[in-house]
Amino acid sequence: MKKCLYVSIAMFGVAALLSFTQQKSGSSIAEVSTSAKAAAVADTAKTAPVAAAKEVKLKPYKKNVLATYYADKFNGRKTSSGERFDNKKYTAAHMKLPFGTMVRVTNEANGKWVDVKVNDRGPYNKKLEIDLTKKAFMEIASNKSSGTFKVKIEIIETK
């Protein structure tokens, strides 16, 4: 009951503050949120990695191959490259590509793609070509309940 009362009071205070600032400045809430978004984009652009600013060239590697994702039980374990595995990052395991290679993995069914860094070896099943982190896999999956889908792999070369 107390929590509900505190939330109601807080919401009333925010509403009153917004209406006061709207009357005072003459701007609408939409204008304020648009300028806040613009500021956030500007901050992101300042902190973007230098590699993003470079020209990217894609070198075709393989088409129509299967991708899968790591199980959560691997979180915190060391990868073959020596890094700690984190299912919330954009990394991948591949049997042949050198560690540190950046690849673009494109879901052939829906055209969504993600850029990942190779930092581990695997998958150890001959039918599978690449293991993605769960975050990268779910970002490009068209069916979130599937465990594999066909992808196109391209090597990213920066100039």
Side-chain angles (χ1 to χ4, degrees):
M1 183 68 178
K2 283 184 181 181
K3 287 182 184 179
C4 184
L5 180 63
Y6 292 139
V7 171
S8 298
I9 293 171
M11 288 176 59
F12 178 73
V14 170
L17 181 63
L18 284 175
S19 67
F20 175 74
T21 56
Q22 185 176 4
Q23 291 171 358
K24 182 121 175 134
S25 66
S27 66
S28 69
I29 296 170
E31 291 171 352
V32 173
S33 65
T34 303
S35 63
K37 286 179 186 176
V41 169
D43 288 343
T44 306
K46 291 177 191 172
T47 60
V50 177
K54 294 181 181 179
E55 186 179 326
V56 175
K57 183 180 176 186
L58 299 174
K59 179 182 170 186
Y61 182 70
K62 287 194 176 181
K63 288 184 178 183
N64 204 21
V65 293
L66 285 176
T68 188
Y69 65 92
Y70 281 90
D72 288 329
K73 70 179 184 178
F74 294 106
N75 271 330
R77 294 186 189 180
K78 278 192 177 180
T79 62
S80 299
S81 67
E83 296 177 34
R84 293 275 175 201
F85 176 73
D86 185 355
N87 234 342
K88 296 177 184 167
K89 290 187 178 178
Y90 291 95
T91 59
H94 194 273
M95 289 302 286
K96 296 178 182 175
L97 292 173
F99 295 137
T101 303
M102 292 295 295
V103 294
R104 178 165 292 173
V105 181
T106 306
N107 183 341
E108 292 184 341
N110 62 15
K112 291 182 180 179
W113 54 268
V114 67
D115 294 339
V116 294
K117 180 178 84 168
V118 175
N119 73 341
D120 200 6
R121 293 290 172 231
Y124 294 101
N125 181 334
K126 291 184 181 188
K127 294 178 184 178
L128 302 173
E129 183 68 25
I130 192 165
D131 270 338
L132 301 172
T133 58
K134 198 170 199 175
K135 183 172 185 171
F137 185 90
M138 292 303 172
E139 190 169 304
I140 63 174
S142 48
N143 180 4
K144 306 287 187 207
S145 62
S146 70
T148 62
F149 50 76
K150 293 192 180 204
V151 296
K152 172 176 66 171
I153 302 173
E154 299 166 295
I155 298 172
I156 300 173
E157 298 174 342
T158 56
K159 289 186 177 184

